[in-house]
Amino acid sequence: MPQPQSGTSNWGGYVTQGSFTRITGSWTEPHVVCRSNNDMFAPWVGLDGWGSRTVEQAGVQTDCSSGSPVSTAWYEMYPASPVYWQDPVSEGDSMTASVTSDGAGGYSLALTDNTKGWTEHVKKTLQAKNVSAEAVIESPNQAYPELDSVRFTQVAVDGGSMDAMAPQALTSGGYTPGPLHNGSFTIQPGNPYPQPGNPYAPPY
C-alpha cells in the first residue's frame, strides 16, 4: 500500500480534488541529464492518488539506472504494477495522455506520441474513488535528474480547463510549477524546499 508523505510531495505540478471522471493533458519531453544512477522521474496525468489509495495514470518514465536517460511509455492502475509499452519516446516529443472512468469501475487509458505518431490504449477495471485529478511530474525517491523544464498544455478535467477546478500547486524535488493558465503551466527548477503535501503517491 502507498503511504502518505509528510512535509514533502512526491508530485510536482497541479492536483485538484472533487468527483471526476476524465483528465487529459499534453506535455513535451524535456532534456534530461543524469546526475546519478538512482535518478528517475515521470510526467503523467491521472485520476485518484490524492486522498485515495489507488491511482490510474499514464505517462513517460525516464530512468537513469544505465547511466544515461532511457524514456519508456507506461500506464499504471496502482496498486497493480506499472505496464510498459515498447513504443519509442525521445527528448522533445509532444505527448498526450488521458484517463477516463465510466463511473462503474471501468477505465480507459491512452497515451499518444504526437511527434512520432503512435498511440497506445488500454481498458482496465479497478474499484476506485475518482476523488482527484492531477497533471504532475514524479520521482519515487525524490532523486530527480537535471531537467531544463517540463511544459504541460491543454490540461482539462471533465471537459473543462483545470484552472476552474480549484487546483493546488505542488513542488517536488525543487521543481516548482509556474502559474496555471488556460490549462497550461511550466515546471522548472525553483524553490528548493518542497511544499507540504499528503498524496498517496505510489513508487514506480
Side-chain angles (χ1 to χ4, degrees), residues 9-26:
S9 175
N10 282 358
W11 299 355
Y14 282 91
V15 60
T16 184
Q17 291 180 287
S19 179
F20 305 120
T21 59
R22 177 173 170 81
I23 184 169
T24 184
S26 300

Side-chain angles (χ1 to χ4, degrees), residues 159-189:
S161 175
M162 195 184 208
D163 307 37
M165 307 293 179
Q168 178 181 351
L170 302 173
T171 292
S172 183
Y175 289 96
T176 302
L180 176 62
H181 181 65
N182 291 334
S184 298
F185 65 95
T186 300
I187 301 175
Q188 55 193 7

Side-chain angles (χ1 to χ4, degrees), residues 25-51:
S26 300
W27 67 88
T28 300
E29 283 294 303
H31 176 64
V32 175
V33 176
C34 295
R35 295 187 282 202
S36 81
N37 289 356
N38 292 324
D39 291 352
M40 180 186 295
F41 99 106
W44 56 270
V45 301
L47 296 174
D48 281 319
W50 192 271

